[in-house]
Amino acid sequence: MTTAAGASPPGMRAGRRVAVWGAGGAIGDAFVQHLAAAPDVAEVFAVSRAARPAPAGKIRTIAGDLTVEDDVAAAAATVADAGGNLDLVLIASGVLHDAAAGIAPEKSWRALDAAAMARVFAVNTIGPSLIAKHFLPLLARDRRVIFAALSARVGSISDNRAGGWHAYRASKAALNMMIKGLAIELARRNPAALCVGLHPGTVDSPLSAPFQRNVPAAGLFTPARAAAAMLGVLEGLPATASGRLFAWDGAEIAP
């Protein structure tokens, strides 16, 4: 399920305002570019860890590290000062490996490392939770709105048949539980709201680069294709889908 480049996702009003966290990454930047090209988007707040020059047009850049709550709160304050009332919040941040930080997907329990696990959970679970804390209140209450975070199929407990990748799997499973809990609370504030996790498939990005060897060409997506597909999925989901995890093709992934 996809939309054409520049097409409008999630059945929202004209002049909608959106925020994208992880805008400095491959998928995050693709989300930003796709949404900025949509004629009915008024403003895109693109939040990335490193400061980036603001391009001309609808995109407004904000520097912020999702693992630092003061940064998340400051980014939320910037959006609130600009009017708040968001229609869509997307979180495209995540870590699977980082050689400089000693992070790599574990092949065995013998490779488990407390510091590496803490960093993986900080980025994949705690950071999105902090964004929810500060950005869910910025979502409009009188219309359909969406809060969505990139998760992963490997975060499905029932789908885990291979083992390994312990910290990444566990951090995404924990994120999926956060999404479920947040969805319940968000529905009390706005019954039309949607809060979901998204699995982008295997995207040609730095995150997946070391693991692409056995991926068939047809199964390796460009960031632009993945972003368009996921926005298309969001467009088709009813509010009753809130709290669940969906793949890039619209298929629901079991917890």
Side-chain angles (χ1 to χ4, degrees):
M1 183 186 302
T2 61
T3 59
S8 303
M12 298 179 185
R13 65 183 180 90
R16 69 186 189 276
R17 308 171 77 241
V18 305
V20 179
W21 275 84
I27 298 177
D29 182 64
F31 276 137
V32 169
Q33 299 307 320
H34 189 104
L35 289 162
D40 53 353
V41 166
E43 194 166 21
V44 179
F45 296 96
V47 191
S48 57
R49 185 170 54 184
R52 301 195 303 165
K58 304 173 182 177
I59 302 171
R60 180 170 177 179
T61 60
I62 302 173
D65 185 333
L66 82 168
T67 67
V68 179
E69 185 167 5
D70 285 350
D71 282 11
V72 179
T78 297
V79 175
D81 289 345
N85 220 29
L86 295 174
D87 295 280
L88 173 65
V89 176
L90 286 166
I91 304 173
S93 301
V95 63
L96 171 60
H97 59 88
D98 182 344
I103 298 172
E106 308 90 352
K107 296 180 180 179
S108 163
W109 65 58
R110 290 181 293 274
L112 289 169
D113 176 83
M117 289 187 71
R119 180 61 184 171
V120 170
F121 270 82
V123 174
N124 293 346
T125 311
I126 299 172
S129 302
L130 293 175
I131 293 170
K133 174 182 176 180
H134 292 279
F135 274 73
L136 286 176
L138 299 177
L139 288 171
R141 302 183 67 167
D142 60 348
R143 56 183 180 266
R144 186 172 193 259
V145 294
I146 295 177
F147 182 92
L150 291 194
S151 186
R153 188 181 300 277
V154 297
S156 167
I157 295 173
S158 60
D159 192 59
N160 184 1
R161 297 176 179 84
W165 289 33
H166 299 300
Y168 187 74
R169 286 183 186 274
S171 69
K172 292 298 187 178
L175 173 62
N176 295 342
M177 179 58 80
M178 284 299 308
I179 287 168
K180 177 65 175 179
L182 294 169
I184 293 169
E185 189 171 354
L186 183 60
R188 298 176 187 140
R189 170 188 170 93
N190 180 354
L194 183 69
C195 178
V196 295
L198 294 170
H199 168 59
T202 303
V203 180
D204 189 9
S205 69
L207 185 143
S208 70
F211 314 103
Q212 295 178 8
R213 180 178 302 173
N214 297 319
V215 178
L220 184 62
F221 303 153
T222 65
R225 179 185 174 188
M230 288 184 285
L231 289 170
V233 170
L234 292 178
E235 182 178 9
L237 291 177
T240 53
S242 197
R244 290 143 65 184
L245 172 64
F246 295 88
W248 61 272
D249 60 357
E252 183 173 0
I253 297 173

